Amino acid sequence: MTGSNSNPSAVTSSSPTSSSSLPLPPAARALQHGNNNNILSTGNPADAMPFQSPVKTTRVDGIGIWRSWKRNFSTPLLALLDLIDNSLDAAIASQLELLLDAATTTATASRGGGPPSFVGRVHIHPDTYDAPHPHRGSGNLNGATSTTTGVCIVNNSHKKIRPLAKVLEVYNSSKIHSGAGDIGENGVGLKQGCATLSQLSFVLVKNGGNDEVELGIVAESLQRLEGCYLPAFQFDNSHGPNNPSLHRQMQALFSQPQHQDIAACIAKYGAPQAGSPLNLSIGIERLCRKFDDICYRFHDCDHVFAIVLDKVVHGMNNEKTGAASSNEHRVRVQEYMRALQEELPKTYLHIPDDFEFLIDGKKLAFKHWPTRLVELSVFPLTVSKTQPLLKMRGNFHELEEGNVENSYRLRVFLGFDKERVVIKDAKKEASLYIYSRQSG
């Protein structure tokens, strides 16, 4: 892993109730009393990033708000699709502007005559852990056993991502600062989606390069009646011969007594196989690998956002995660991958051809309607926000060219549905689908 300065800072979320007075979850109590000595290995304090402020919670009932988050989606699959909406909102904005204006050469020329340098990416894949062969050491993965534990969603962003402490902030009022403006900005929907899909999720961010990375935790076990707690930590991941590795920083930081509850969450992530003991070191190693992915697989992207959903619930219903076997987790994740490959092309209409949308390493083509509609016609239209379209029939040329003030662009797809036309009991003359999101 890459090194870091010895001044990392922990940034925690929300208001002033210290969680040091809150009861710890069972796993954290086991760590505190030394019942799992293999979980913690105290590092050199000089290697750790000293946290800047005490752990904090909000005054909102943490257990109650977690339950409310889980009730926002009728199925976990819808929650996953909502998280993907957020990813696309961040990764597609600048490309969409070019796409909607591409009908006129003047619009393209005004942007320099070519596409923007930013290319949006969304990668969705199973979260796996390759356990090294017991006789070949931790650095040798030949003959390693791969275990699927969850789902990863990674996207780049065309603009700087808000600090995780703000992203994970829980609002104390439904009327004031309700978070409505954060929809599509990895705010309200992020918490609701993670809570619906998993009891434990991690959020990873890099902003402006590989030197600064952030880690957030969305965990049911951290919630208390006394408050909601969604911690976020910032690490300095810069290079240097005397800088400790990210793994050593995390090991030292999360081995401190005030972070026992957080260490328990990471140690749980370090037990990828059903029945395996909690292991903080393995959990940190897995998170460091995720940071490697967003830093080096997205090396040409300044801003990257990733969500790791651990031990996801079943995609067909709202069952609790429970004590599922490793094979059951693998099957659940495979079902999600198949469902996304089927549903996403129907869900989005405006994804550019050069957008890099990968599901389990395979690029997804968003051609559902263009391939399904016969005698397809596609044309752009400018819609005035102040005048009805029928009153502007005499100015159709201006509408087509986009020369209308206070307006928005619209793409219209017209065609015969080759699948619907053979349905004998279909009674409607036509169907209208409105894709109002910028990505579809």
Side-chain angles (χ1 to χ4, degrees):
M1 280 300 302
T2 56
S4 174
N5 289 339
S6 57
N7 280 329
S9 59
V11 182
T12 56
S13 59
S14 281
S15 43
T17 305
S18 173
S19 75
S20 59
S21 61
L22 301 181
L24 294 175
R29 291 199 298 270
L31 291 176
Q32 189 177 45
H33 295 295
N35 295 336
N36 281 287
N37 293 328
N38 62 313
I39 296 178
L40 293 179
S41 96
T42 305
N44 184 347
D47 293 341
M49 296 172 44
F51 69 102
Q52 292 182 337
S53 58
V55 176
K56 297 177 181 178
T57 64
T58 68
R59 291 184 292 271
V60 179
D61 173 7
I63 296 176
I65 199 170
W66 186 275
R67 290 173 179 168
S68 72
W69 288 340
K70 293 175 65 174
R71 292 195 294 265
N72 280 276
F73 301 97
S74 58
T75 68
L77 179 59
L78 292 177
L80 184 58
L81 291 172
D82 192 69
L83 292 177
I84 295 171
D85 276 345
N86 285 345
S87 296
L88 282 169
D89 283 345
I92 201 174
S94 60
Q95 288 196 353
L96 176 71
E97 183 181 4
L98 179 68
L99 178 67
L100 294 181
D101 288 340
T104 61
T105 56
T106 55
T108 303
S110 68
R111 287 166 170 77
S117 58
F118 177 84
V119 176
R121 301 181 191 174
V122 174
H123 294 182
I124 305 171
H125 57 84
D127 182 23
T128 60
Y129 173 68
D130 294 326
H133 192 282
H135 303 297
R136 296 176 184 171
S138 60
N140 191 333
L141 296 180
N142 292 328
T145 301
S146 180
T147 303
T148 299
T149 60
V151 175
C152 294
I153 306 172
V154 187
N155 66 271
N156 62 353
S157 175
H158 69 285
K159 62 181 180 180
K160 186 176 179 66
I161 300 166
R162 291 188 304 151
L164 271 186
K166 291 294 185 182
V167 171
L168 297 178
E169 185 176 2
V170 179
Y171 296 91
N172 292 322
S173 169
S174 61
K175 296 181 179 180
I176 302 176
H177 304 306
S178 64
D182 295 334
I183 296 175
E185 292 291 337
N186 287 316
V188 177
L190 171 67
K191 307 176 191 74
Q192 296 172 347
C194 288
T196 302
L197 286 159
S198 175
Q199 296 173 355
L200 174 62
S201 301
F202 298 95
V203 184
L204 294 80
V205 169
K206 79 165 183 176
N207 252 334
N210 295 345
D211 290 349
E212 182 180 304
V213 295
E214 296 177 82
L215 172 67
I217 303 173
V218 182
E220 184 175 13
S221 65
L222 297 179
Q223 310 315 314
R224 303 287 183 275
L225 290 173
E226 296 85 350
C228 182
Y229 180 39
L230 303 176
F233 300 87
Q234 182 178 334
F235 296 91
D236 186 358
N237 193 36
S238 58
H239 295 274
N242 299 321
N243 293 338
S245 68
L246 197 56
H247 189 288
R248 292 183 67 185
Q249 294 176 48
M250 289 187 182
Q251 186 82 45
L253 179 65
F254 297 128
S255 294
Q256 297 174 10
Q258 62 267 33
H259 294 313
Q260 291 281 350
D261 50 355
I262 299 171
C265 293
I266 300 176
K268 183 179 179 181
Y269 187 58
Q273 294 182 333
S276 57
L278 305 183
N279 194 306
L280 178 63
S281 182
I282 291 179
I284 291 175
E285 175 192 349
R286 297 188 69 192
L287 290 175
C288 287
R289 290 183 183 181
K290 295 295 180 290
F291 277 117
D292 277 345
D293 286 344
I294 67 173
C295 287
Y296 301 112
R297 292 190 180 182
F298 286 72
H299 64 90
D300 55 342
C301 303
D302 290 335
H303 313 295
V304 182
F305 191 96
I307 303 172
V308 180
L309 303 162
D310 189 45
K311 298 179 177 62
V312 292
V313 300
H314 196 279
M316 298 300 113
N317 53 54
N318 273 318
E319 69 178 31
K320 295 187 69 175
T321 53
S325 68
S326 298
N327 184 63
E328 287 174 326
H329 286 306
R330 179 182 58 83
V331 171
R332 288 176 182 179
V333 172
Q334 289 177 343
E335 289 180 349
Y336 275 116
M337 297 298 108
R338 286 193 294 266
L340 292 177
Q341 289 174 341
E342 180 179 347
E343 293 297 326
L344 287 175
K346 303 176 186 178
T347 306
Y348 300 104
L349 189 64
H350 307 312
I351 306 296
D353 291 338
D354 60 349
F355 190 93
E356 188 176 282
F357 198 117
L358 304 183
I359 296 183
D360 201 6
K362 299 178 180 178
K363 186 171 182 179
L364 198 63
F366 294 87
K367 300 294 183 182
H368 175 75
W369 289 114
T371 57
R372 178 168 165 171
L373 297 179
V374 181
E375 297 187 14
L376 174 66
S377 297
V378 182
F379 57 90
L381 192 64
T382 301
V383 179
S384 172
K385 296 181 180 180
T386 58
Q387 300 184 55
L389 186 61
L390 291 177
K391 289 186 177 181
M392 301 191 66
R393 285 180 296 181
N395 300 323
F396 189 80
H397 178 72
E398 293 184 3
L399 293 175
E400 193 172 19
E401 293 296 329
N403 299 324
V404 179
E405 294 184 0
N406 195 17
S407 62
Y408 62 90
R409 302 299 302 277
L410 181 72
R411 287 202 305 165
V412 181
F413 289 66
L414 294 177
F416 296 97
D417 190 344
K418 66 181 180 182
E419 295 184 14
R420 184 179 177 280
V421 73
V422 297
I423 301 176
K424 295 181 179 180
D425 58 348
K427 298 179 180 180
K428 295 182 179 179
E429 296 293 335
S431 296
L432 174 65
Y433 297 91
I434 300 175
Y435 287 72
S436 60
R437 294 184 63 90
Q438 62 179 3
S439 54

